[in-house]
Amino acid sequence: MRVADEMDITLGHEVGYSIPQEDCTGPDTLLRFCWDRLLLQEVASTRGTGAWGVLVLDEAQERSVASDLLQGLLRNARLGNLPGDSRVVVVTDPALEPKLQAFWGHPPTVHVPRGPGVCPTPVYRDTVPTDRVEAACQAVLELCTKEAPGDVLVYLPSEEEILLCCESLSREVEPLALRGPPPRVLPLHPGHGPAVQAAYEDMDLGARRIVVTHWLADFSFSLPSIRHVIDSGLELRSVSERDEGMWGLKIEVAHSDLSWPWLWGARRQVYNPQIRAESQVLRPISKCQAEARRLRARGVPPGSCLCLYPKSFLELEAPPLPAPRICEENLSPLVLLLKRRQIAEPGECHFLDRPAPEALMQALEDLDYLAALDDDGNLSDLGVILSEFPLPPELAKALLASCEFDCVDEMLTLAAMLTAAPGFTHPPLSAEESALRRALEHMDGDHSSLIQVYEAFIQSGADEAWCQARGLNWAALCHAQKLRGELLELMQRIELPLSQPAFGSEQNRRDLQKALVSGYFLKVARDTDGTGNYLLLTHKHVAQLSPYCCYRSRRSPARPPPWVLYHNFSISKDNCLSIVSEIQPQMLVELAPPYFLSNLPPSESRDLLNQLREEMADSSIESESPPTQEFGDACVLQ
């Protein structure tokens, strides 16, 4: 929008943009700003590289999976099939320059000098505070009482701490005797949805903005009025999850996914492939991030930068650059994409940083279990269809299975909700809110509860106040509504069968469970002692149900279900299974591949499943063999 305003042209004509569920471009568009994951899908769907003359990859130092993989695919394409005289421009922090130079074969480099302004000298604390939120609040209040001019940017590790800090500051700045209007406290994180735009809006004359954020504002965020930065030096990782202007060229500008974080629930995930789990890690930011945060207070005269940690902490603990996301995420979607690109082996693709071999092997094994690969290791017919969906492979498989089990309408809703709006945003704040939430819970578990939440949201007219009263994220639910429509359109385009709504009927309950098990048989756990200690089938980890699970909110003496299917397993201070529903082990034996059950690690759960499989096989043989008397009668009739 800013480019269109400065060039005095209409947005959507010469200048446009593409983000999930919204394409503001046209046949005359010469400059397109594009989300990097969308551009990756476009590049991966054809052997060519798209109808563009210049591609600008911005903020490459953020090391998103899409940005790194785009560079790998384009480096391969550079050898012969780039259209015409196409150019690739990579914009990055100087710290990443040597690696990119070597990766691209030492292309020409342009160093862009910084604009006018002076960087502040950082002030370090002698020790790391025991309470980061309190320390950050006190630093902000000191700036307010000194009435130092300019807005304030506060960096904390997690969304939870951001909310606590905002609540505390909102209470404490109100009674301060300040000249002019009181400061406005603004949270900036993915869970806040499009409301983050409030940080960019013009404020009342003289009102100070206090923006509280985390890694989101390291690179992609820019606000000229920021003059003071308070940096905790930490981030919380959850371990798992662009002018054909004057010269007749068409330019694509690909931005990192962090530019539109609320659209896809941007959580920073670190994935452990050996146990198929995410975990939460509190760790130092990189030196590159620390420098980017300091530069936010650049100006004339310079602002201030308070680091809530000793200088030695940064020098000894912080890595030079952010960790590449491709080394910390579940690689199944990436491998599926490479297979679609007809790169038979992921090792054939060039990576800035190569993922661990065990992570690639785990991804291939998971895709094989899902029947996405044929005997030669290439995409099967099913795998080709799975690669069409903007979903994790297991969720796409469950959606396809719903065509067989006649529950497509419900599974479309569930796929959209699991992707965009999985559950409540915070614990109940009052007895009234708790009662409103219980009314949305379904007896079959969290998956059916999500469907019930979505249907109630639609019946409310997508009312934001309705969501706030129940602790639901209105922006995420709106996104789920758009995503559901996109998935439905995709299924119609590839001519997959649909079904009529039947949510709540006994047959639909069983069909929905079968569709889920068809995709999520890798994510099943069994209660080993009847108290909610769940042993995961694929490895010997014990976990409990999430505090938000509907089974936890039921009044005692309700017992936890003996067998459950879960959406996420997170390793943290209390290992949690999130989005959980009860299943019957017979259904697992029936729908999971036999070789998957055979490959499970030794456990009582595996023995029970194998015993059940034998019993079901014997029962099947008996039902197929006619009784002797009936056989004799048939002979007589002949």
Side-chain angles (χ1 to χ4, degrees), residues 8 106 118 335 468 485 523 615:
D8 195 25
H106 301 281
V118 181
V335 173
Q468 291 175 346
K523 296 184 175 182
E615 293 173 357

Side-chain angles (χ1 to χ4, degrees), residues 184 186 192 194-203 209:
R184 186 174 178 187
L186 301 167
H192 205 52
V196 299
Q197 294 297 327
Y200 296 93
E201 295 172 355
D202 293 333
M203 307 293 291
R209 274 175 286 204

Side-chain angles (χ1 to χ4, degrees), residues 300-312:
V300 179
S304 67
C305 178
L306 173 62
C307 301
L308 302 177
Y309 51 85
K311 188 176 182 179
S312 59

Side-chain angles (χ1 to χ4, degrees), residues 46 98 102 118 248 319 322 339 364 366 427 445 447 485 502:
T46 62
V118 181
K339 293 290 185 180
L364 286 168
D366 289 356
H447 293 86

Side-chain angles (χ1 to χ4, degrees), residues 174-191:
E174 188 174 349
L176 294 179
L178 302 175
R179 290 179 294 182
R184 186 174 178 187
V185 182
L186 301 167
L188 180 64
H189 61 82

